Amino acid sequence: YEDEQFPRVRFSFPSLSILPAKLQFLFVFACSLHSIVKRLLRDGKPKFISAHGLSEQAIAYILKLLFKIPYMVHVHEIVEWKELSPFNRLLYLFERCALQNAEFLIFPEKERAAIYKRRYDLQVPIHIVYNCPRLGLAGSKIDLRAKYKLPKDSFIMTYIGGIGSANALEFGIEALKEFPSVYFFIWGFGAKKNIAQLRELAKKLGVSDRVLGLEQLSENKWAHLSGADLAYCVYRRSDLRTEHLATASNKMTENIAMGVPVLVNDGEDFKGFVHSNKIGISLKEMSANGVKTALHWVLSHQKERVDMSSRERTLYCEELHYEKQFTPLIGYYAGHFQLVKRKVVGKNEVKSGY
C-alpha cells in the first residue's frame, strides 16, 4: 500500500548474481527472513504485517509462530502446483496454514476468493478489493503522434505490462497488416526470448515500423497511457491464474482511469465487466482474426469510442480507484489493531491519525 502509515522496508542483494539461478530464490527468502527477524529483535515487533504472494505470506506465518504478530494476506494470483518452480513448490506447502492463520484476506475479485475458500476451507474474513490506481491521475497528456512523428490520422493501440505468452501480443501484431493506420505500442518487461520473437514476427509481417516500444516505460506512464486510442488488455485463459482476472487486472483499471477504451478477451469475466459498463469491446474469438474484427468495429465507431471514454472516467471517479476500494479497509484494520500512523518530518518521527 503506497501510504506513509504503512512504511515499506526494501532489501537488496547485490551479490545475488554470483549464485546459481536455482539457489537465488532460496537465498533471497532466507536473507529476507533473517533481516526481518534481526530488525524485530532490535526495534521491537510491529503490530501488524501486510503480506503479498507466496514468499511474504510464508514469512508472515513464520513470524506469527515465532513472535505472535498478526498479519493479513493480499492474494493477487491463483497459484497451482504444476506451474511452480521447485522452491516455490516448497513455499506452496505453507499456503494452507498461511491463509488459514491470517486475520483476514484480500482478493481482487470474487471468483478467486471462492476458489481459495473451497481449496483450503477458509473461515477467516475475506474482502474483495479491486486492483485500482489512485484518484487524481489526470494530468499532462503526451501526444504520441507528435513525439514519435506518426501520421496525424494514425490510430494508436497500447499495451503495458508483462511481455510473455499469456498476453497474446502476437494477435495484435498480426492484425496490423490489415490496418496500415494502426500503430501498436508495447511497453513492459519480458524475457529477451519473448521480445525477440515479437520483433521477428513484426519483421516477417512487414509491420516493424508500426510495432513500437518493446521495452519498459521508464517515465510519464500515465501521460503515455492517456495518449492512446485503444488499450490492448487481452489474456489467454490458459489456467486458473488467468481465467478470473477482470477486476484483478491493473492493466485494465489503469487504462479505464485514463479514459482509454479497452480491448479484452472473450472470457466471461472480462467480457461481462466491459460490456455491462460499456467501456470497451471484447474479442469474439482468441485469435488474430478476433483482433481484426474488433479493430474494424473500433475504427468505424468514433462516437462510441468517445462515449466509452466518458463512461470510463465516471467509473474511475466513482468506483475504480484506490481511495474507494482500499481506504475503508485500511481504516478498518488500522483501528482494529490500534496501529499508529507515522510521518517523518525532517529527522523527527511524528505520530498522528491512527
Side-chain angles (χ1 to χ4, degrees):
Y1 303 106
E2 298 175 1
D3 198 298
E4 66 273 16
Q5 70 197 51
F6 300 105
R8 291 184 176 188
V9 177
R10 299 186 183 276
F11 302 108
S12 62
F13 306 99
S15 60
L16 187 63
S17 59
I18 68 174
L19 292 174
K22 291 183 178 180
L23 295 178
Q24 289 180 2
F25 287 114
L26 176 61
F27 177 79
V28 170
F29 180 85
C31 288
S32 297
L33 180 58
H34 174 265
S35 298
I36 292 170
V37 171
K38 186 177 176 181
R39 287 177 65 95
L40 294 183
L41 295 174
R42 185 189 68 198
D43 301 332
K45 298 190 300 184
K47 292 189 175 181
F48 196 75
I49 293 175
S50 173
H52 302 249
L54 283 175
S55 296
E56 290 188 16
Q57 68 192 31
I59 288 175
Y61 175 61
I62 292 170
L63 293 177
K64 183 171 185 178
L65 293 178
L66 294 175
F67 300 103
K68 309 299 183 186
I69 304 170
Y71 66 92
M72 58 77 67
V73 178
H74 192 156
V75 185
H76 293 278
E77 294 188 347
I78 299 173
V79 293
E80 296 182 279
W81 178 267
K82 64 182 180 181
E83 301 171 0
L84 301 175
S85 66
F87 178 65
N88 279 331
R89 287 182 177 181
L90 175 62
L91 296 179
Y92 185 77
L93 298 177
F94 283 89
E95 186 167 63
R96 176 184 293 272
C97 291
L99 299 186
Q100 288 179 340
N101 286 275
E103 301 299 318
F104 63 90
L105 306 172
I106 295 177
F107 288 85
E109 59 91 29
K110 62 182 181 180
E111 290 299 329
R112 294 184 181 209
I115 289 168
Y116 269 78
K117 190 175 177 66
R118 291 193 301 269
R119 180 185 288 182
Y120 297 131
D121 189 27
L122 297 175
Q123 304 299 318
V124 299
I126 291 175
H127 302 275
I128 306 301
V129 180
Y130 298 166
N131 282 343
C132 305
R134 287 184 176 274
L135 274 175
L137 294 177
S140 59
K141 176 179 177 180
I142 290 180
D143 185 341
L144 295 176
R145 293 174 183 81
K147 180 176 179 178
Y148 292 93
K149 298 181 173 55
L150 306 182
K152 290 184 179 179
D153 63 346
S154 58
F155 183 90
I156 295 175
M157 182 167 68
T158 59
Y159 169 86
I160 185 166
I163 299 175
S165 60
N167 308 111
L169 294 168
E170 69 275 14
F171 295 158
I173 293 174
E174 289 174 34
L176 296 183
K177 194 167 183 179
E178 192 167 317
F179 304 95
S181 66
V182 177
Y183 289 75
F184 193 10
F185 286 82
I186 300 173
W187 293 303
F189 175 81
K192 290 182 180 179
K193 180 183 73 172
N194 292 332
I195 293 174
Q197 287 173 346
L198 294 178
R199 290 190 190 280
E200 183 61 30
L201 176 62
K203 182 179 179 181
K204 179 181 177 181
L205 295 173
V207 296
S208 294
D209 59 326
R210 292 188 287 121
V211 177
L212 306 173
L214 285 173
E215 60 186 3
Q216 293 192 70
L217 187 59
S218 58
E219 58 182 13
N220 297 325
K221 169 184 173 179
W222 304 113
H224 280 79
L225 289 183
S226 64
D229 299 305
L230 182 70
Y232 192 88
C233 302
V234 176
Y235 293 87
R236 296 182 191 276
R237 295 181 296 114
S238 56
D239 49 41
L240 281 174
R241 184 172 61 84
T242 54
E243 185 175 350
H244 303 291
L245 202 63
T247 54
S249 174
N250 60 303
K251 298 178 185 66
M252 186 176 73
T253 57
E254 286 174 355
N255 281 288
I256 290 172
M258 295 296 100
V260 180
V262 292
L263 173 63
V264 300
N265 63 27
D266 58 345
E268 290 302 322
D269 53 340
F270 271 110
K271 182 168 66 175
F273 187 85
V274 166
H275 288 188
S276 64
N277 289 288
K278 299 179 180 179
I279 55 173
I281 183 171
S282 64
L283 299 183
K284 292 186 176 180
E285 61 176 276
M286 275 292 291
S287 66
N289 284 333
V291 177
K292 290 176 185 178
T293 300
L295 283 174
H296 268 300
W297 188 91
V298 171
L299 289 167
S300 60
H301 290 79
Q302 183 175 359
K303 182 183 181 302
E304 284 80 355
R305 292 205 318 269
V306 173
D307 292 340
M308 287 176 181
S309 179
S310 177
R311 284 191 287 268
E312 282 182 313
R313 293 191 180 279
T314 299
L315 183 61
Y316 164 59
C317 291
E318 294 182 354
E319 184 72 20
L320 289 184
H321 59 267
Y322 173 96
E323 288 78 2
K324 170 79 173 184
Q325 295 292 325
F326 279 94
T327 300
L329 187 56
I330 290 174
Y332 157 74
Y333 73 79
H336 187 70
F337 296 102
Q338 299 179 329
L339 302 184
V340 175
K341 183 175 181 177
R342 290 177 168 84
K343 274 190 177 181
V344 177
V345 181
K347 295 183 179 180
N348 302 314
E349 186 180 77
V350 179
K351 297 181 180 180
S352 63
Y354 298 127

